[in-house]
Amino acid sequence: MGVRRTAGIVAALALVAAACGADDDDSSSEGAPPSTAGGPTPTTVAATGGWVDGEPEWMGAEGRGGALAESDTADLESAPAVALTEDEFTSDADLSGDDAIGRPEPALPDATPLRAGSVDDNADYQGFLDYLARLRDLGIALRDLDPTDRSIVTVVDPTGAPVAGIPVTISSGDASAIVRTTADGTARFLPAAYSALAAVEGALTASVGEATAEFARGADVTITVSEPRQVLSPVPLDVAFLLDATGSMGDEIDRLKQTIDTVAARVAALDPAPDVRFAMTLYRDEGDAFVTSTYDFTGDVAEFQAALSRVVADGGGDYPEALDEGLAEVLGAPTWRSADDAIQLVFLVADAPPQVTRQVTAGYPESVRLAIERGIKLFPIASSESDDQAEAVFRQIAQATGAPFVFLSYGAGGAATGESTDIDRTDYEELALDELVVRLIAEELAALSGGEVTPPPTTAPPTTNPEGQ
């Protein structure tokens, strides 16, 4: 998305991630080849860390690759791509065409830490179907990712404990599909997403090795395997950030710097601590300095910090962005560890939908199917300019992979949802964004371990609210 705000100044992205677990073990920055048992073989690169295919050119021919300090105001103002005068700023009331927002934008004071809410569309599955049907009636264009007749597949061991990271074959006759369980031992099967099984009306079979169970289309099913589950200690945890790095995200990404330090510190201090690695994939749009770019998984905190500090938000142009390409990249380019052992999470931070009418190699439904096959949860975090189309796409992605839909919230000012949303202020708890993200990660770890994973006490935010708030 291009510059669409009154304060349309592109800011630097400085997400700071901290590794934990075996910090002194060189193997923590090296990834094992992705598992191929019962699932696809993703395209990967050598797990050496660093930018895949080299560091991108941040701002075209006039590129700025150097680190930007938060206090480097003069440098930001002198950047060629953002040297806008006050006369060039456009008020929301004047926006039209591709730049139309369609509704007032909530105030985002720079000093206020980001806050967020979340909803789980699998917990109100029928309500989610009704929401999508209403958007279709309104003419909101989406790619085809139909959740109708969803089944939740659960795999447990002889003690009833959930078994994570195990591929499950769903079949009817010669037609089959693969889903892989996430940390809580569940996976979601969407028959309409698999052409060979979309028209099957009779019983389906779910199988893990010799263990099988029949279930009806749209019904949930549980499979009990004979072997007790095995959980590595510390738990391998791969967390990838998929970031919309276009110009309109500049101010919000910059504000993430107020919370990511806290997120990283609290993830590192989880008890018990995971063996965590971080990666990031950035995306913009066609015609920009780059469409996608990936920094591979690493446990080297200083190295990752240095890469993140050089990221610049720029480009975009129209409202939709290359989210399709970004999702394909984040699943294919980083060197994920074995899905048999590791928890695999993607946090997508964006404020715009993909170009749903553009022909792409892999649209977001294809990437979602791949994520389901590999047991990767996709957590979309909607930012302030999200409209009905963006919200619907984000919720499709989250629901299919078993994650909640996360959105920035602004108290009485509303939330980063579309005008036609069915999410009411009473449907969610508003938390600091760092608190919510840490909670989501801790829940995944607790589900895998079967015990409790305790986050450290909340620390004060790096900035304070304005006086009287």
Side-chain angles (χ1 to χ4, degrees):
M1 186 193 302
V3 176
R4 300 168 57 214
R5 301 184 179 186
T6 300
I9 298 178
V10 176
L13 167 63
L15 298 175
V16 180
C20 58
D23 286 341
D24 297 325
D25 184 352
D26 290 341
S27 65
S28 66
S29 63
E30 300 292 325
S35 171
T36 58
T41 304
T43 302
T44 59
V45 297
T48 57
W51 292 99
V52 177
D53 297 326
E55 184 173 340
E57 188 172 328
W58 296 113
M59 301 177 76
E62 299 135 354
R64 288 164 49 84
L68 297 177
E70 289 186 55
S71 60
D72 198 4
T73 307
D75 193 30
L76 281 173
E77 291 176 348
S78 65
V82 296
L84 302 180
T85 67
E86 186 173 354
D87 292 339
E88 292 173 303
F89 292 156
T90 305
S91 69
D92 290 348
D94 295 331
L95 295 175
S96 60
D98 288 338
D99 286 335
I101 295 177
R103 59 195 170 90
E105 204 174 310
L108 298 174
D110 288 343
T112 306
L114 293 172
R115 298 184 66 80
S118 68
V119 295
D120 182 357
D121 282 316
N122 281 295
D124 184 11
Y125 171 61
Q126 185 57 53
F128 179 59
L129 296 180
D130 294 342
Y131 162 75
L132 290 180
R134 183 158 48 81
L135 288 194
R136 283 195 298 271
D137 291 343
L138 293 173
I140 305 297
L142 303 172
R143 294 196 188 275
D144 189 13
L145 183 59
D146 185 359
T148 303
D149 292 332
R150 172 222 64 184
S151 293
I152 297 179
V153 181
T154 303
V155 180
V156 298
D157 72 5
T159 69
V163 179
I166 193 163
V168 182
T169 301
I170 310 295
S171 62
S172 176
D174 294 332
S176 65
I178 300 292
V179 299
R180 188 182 291 266
T181 58
T182 54
D184 62 356
T186 68
R188 277 128 296 277
F189 170 64
L190 281 56
Y194 305 90
S195 58
L197 295 169
V200 172
E201 296 294 340
L204 296 160
T205 301
S207 58
V208 178
E210 298 299 318
T212 63
E214 288 195 346
F215 65 103
R217 182 186 176 101
D220 296 339
V221 60
T222 298
I223 304 171
T224 302
V225 296
S226 59
E227 297 293 327
R229 68 175 180 178
Q230 301 293 323
V231 179
L232 297 180
S233 181
V235 174
L237 171 63
D238 284 351
V239 179
F241 296 99
L242 176 57
L243 304 172
D244 176 348
T246 55
S248 69
M249 285 291 294
D251 59 347
E252 215 142 44
I253 285 177
D254 190 48
R255 293 181 64 212
L256 286 170
K257 290 184 277 187
Q258 301 177 9
T259 60
I260 293 299
D261 277 339
T262 304
V263 170
R266 297 189 71 208
V267 169
L270 289 172
D271 181 23
D275 172 18
V276 65
R277 303 184 311 162
F278 295 92
M280 68 173 168
T281 291
L282 313 174
Y283 69 91
R284 290 180 178 172
D285 207 354
E286 290 185 339
D288 290 335
F290 62 87
V291 176
T292 61
S293 186
T294 292
Y295 193 84
D296 202 7
F297 280 110
T298 181
D300 188 322
V301 180
E303 182 181 283
F304 193 55
Q305 274 186 298
L308 287 164
S309 70
R310 291 194 294 273
V311 176
V312 176
D314 185 46
D318 60 357
Y319 181 48
E321 309 298 359
L323 175 56
D324 290 307
E325 293 89 337
L327 274 172
E329 173 93 357
V330 77
L331 297 178
T335 311
W336 295 87
R337 283 181 285 199
S338 171
D340 295 336
D341 303 319
I343 294 179
Q344 305 180 33
L345 310 176
V346 174
F347 287 90
L348 160 64
V349 184
D351 64 355
Q355 305 271 8
V356 297
T357 59
R358 183 162 70 200
Q359 295 297 314
V360 293
T361 301
Y364 69 84
E366 285 74 25
S367 292
V368 166
R369 284 196 294 271
L370 179 57
I372 294 171
E373 290 169 2
R374 290 169 54 188
I376 298 175
K377 279 192 176 183
L378 306 175
F379 295 81
I381 302 176
S383 298
S384 64
E385 292 188 8
S386 299
D387 65 0
D388 283 329
Q389 187 182 48
E391 179 189 344
V393 170
F394 297 158
R395 291 173 69 175
Q396 283 181 305
I397 291 169
Q399 183 274 331
T401 63
F405 165 56
V406 182
F407 45 90
L408 298 187
S409 55
Y410 314 104
T417 53
E419 288 186 320
S420 303
T421 189
D422 62 344
I423 299 173
D424 187 79
R425 180 63 185 86
T426 60
D427 293 335
Y428 61 90
E429 178 186 7
E430 187 178 86
L431 298 171
L433 179 59
D434 66 310
E435 182 81 19
L436 179 55
V437 171
V438 170
R439 177 185 293 186
L440 293 172
I441 293 174
E443 287 174 354
E444 294 296 305
L445 292 167
L448 185 67
S449 67
E452 183 177 354
V453 176
T454 306
T458 304
T459 57
T463 58
T464 57
N465 290 339
E467 184 177 355
Q469 296 188 14

